[in-house]
């Protein structure tokens, strides 16, 4: 793992020094091997090592951000290079009583049109309901959940496929995933 980590770090250093927007991994021998391989195990090891580096880098950034924020809170905003750093105490809004909010929206609406406008304003144009919640409401109304999904929602397919991973040690992992052995593929 250490050797692989060294290769990933060297490749990261070389790629980050590139002046082009196009990713060229062939700047190191390891990067060239990575670019030309179809060996899933090799790609998996590179991916795992990269995740380790990414997580550690994120932790270092978070640590630095916290120390900088403390300094800036005590001493004021500062410009470093092309960035000005300021201190802001961050927050997020949380609903205190969702049922009460929903009742207020309904009760203060004079008609269905105003209610719909209020709901759209609050939920926003990009609102997507929780699928399990939508299914539960449809089932509670004795309606076909797939039909309700197809009536109100559509899938927008991404241009590039996403790689997903399932941790087989997780209790919610599907049985078929847990039953697979290392380097064994699921039968289609």
């Amino acid at each position: 793992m250490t050797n692989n980590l060294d290769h990933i770090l060297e490749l990261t250093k070389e790629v980050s020094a590139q002046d082009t927007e196009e990713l060229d991994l062939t700047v190191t021998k390891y990067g060239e091997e990575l670019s030309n391989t179809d060996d899933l195990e090799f790609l998996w090891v590179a991916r795992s090592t990269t995740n380790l580096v990414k997580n550690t880098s994120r932790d270092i950034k978070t640590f630095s951000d916290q120390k900088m924020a403390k300094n800036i809170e005590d001493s004021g905003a500062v410009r470093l290079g092309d960035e000005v750093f300021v201190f802001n105490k961050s927050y997020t809004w949380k609903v205190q009583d969702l049922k009460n909010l929903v009742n207020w929206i309904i009760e203060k609406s004079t008609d269905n049109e105003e209610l719909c406008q209020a709901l759209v304003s609050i939920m926003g144009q990009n609102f997507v309901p929780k699928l399990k919640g939508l299914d539960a409401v449809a089932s509670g109304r004795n309606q076909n959940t797939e039909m309700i999904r197809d009536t109100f929602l559509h899938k927008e397919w991404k241009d590039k496929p996403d790689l997903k991973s399932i941790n087989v040690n997780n209790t919610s992992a599907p049985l078929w995933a847990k039953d697979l052995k290392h380097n064994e593929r699921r039968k289609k």
Side-chain angles (χ1 to χ4, degrees):
M1 181 73 144
T2 301
N3 190 29
N4 200 43
L5 179 60
D6 292 341
H7 292 308
I8 292 289
L9 291 173
E10 178 188 9
L11 179 59
T12 302
K13 178 182 173 189
E14 293 298 323
V15 169
S16 65
Q18 292 176 355
D19 271 346
T20 65
E21 287 187 26
E22 192 164 321
L23 181 66
D24 179 14
L25 297 179
T26 62
V27 293
T28 68
K29 184 177 181 198
Y30 182 83
E32 195 168 328
E33 189 177 350
L34 189 63
S35 296
N36 295 325
T37 190
D38 288 327
D39 180 352
L40 281 177
E41 185 121 8
F42 182 79
L43 293 167
W44 170 66
V45 169
R47 180 183 187 275
S48 298
T49 306
T50 304
N51 271 338
L52 174 68
V53 170
K54 181 177 74 171
N55 292 340
T56 304
S57 294
R58 184 196 62 236
D59 292 345
I60 292 168
K61 181 187 179 298
T62 299
F63 176 83
S64 297
D65 286 353
Q66 290 170 349
K67 288 199 78 160
M68 289 174 69
K70 177 68 175 133
N71 178 288
I72 292 165
E73 178 184 24
D74 294 342
S75 304
V78 63
R79 178 177 174 163
L80 300 172
D82 290 338
E83 297 178 277
V84 175
F85 293 93
V86 295
F87 174 80
N88 284 329
K89 194 91 167 166
S90 63
Y91 61 87
T92 57
W93 288 97
K94 301 285 184 180
V95 176
Q96 295 178 37
D97 184 343
L98 183 58
K99 191 173 180 180
N100 194 26
L101 173 63
V102 171
N103 281 332
W104 173 78
I105 296 166
I106 293 169
E107 290 171 3
K108 296 300 179 183
S109 298
T110 55
D111 57 27
N112 276 350
E113 181 61 28
E114 186 181 337
L115 175 60
C116 283
Q117 286 178 355
L119 290 172
V120 168
S121 293
I122 291 169
M123 293 185 294
Q125 293 294 330
N126 297 324
F127 171 78
V128 178
K130 295 190 183 317
L131 295 179
K132 288 185 178 184
L134 183 63
D135 291 350
V137 170
S139 293
R141 295 177 177 175
N142 292 320
Q143 294 180 305
N144 181 301
T145 58
E146 287 299 316
M147 181 191 74
I148 295 301
R149 281 188 184 194
D150 291 342
T151 300
F152 298 111
L153 307 174
H154 70 275
K155 292 179 182 175
E156 275 188 14
W157 296 97
K158 296 179 180 179
D159 292 334
K160 296 179 183 176
D162 291 333
L163 179 65
K164 307 281 188 208
S165 66
I166 300 169
N167 184 339
V168 294
N169 297 316
N170 193 328
T171 56
S172 63
L175 289 177
W176 66 263
K178 290 181 179 186
D179 290 342
L180 289 176
K181 306 293 181 249
H182 179 72
N183 219 3
E184 179 184 7
R185 292 189 181 265
R186 182 181 186 191
K187 309 287 188 276
K188 289 188 177 187

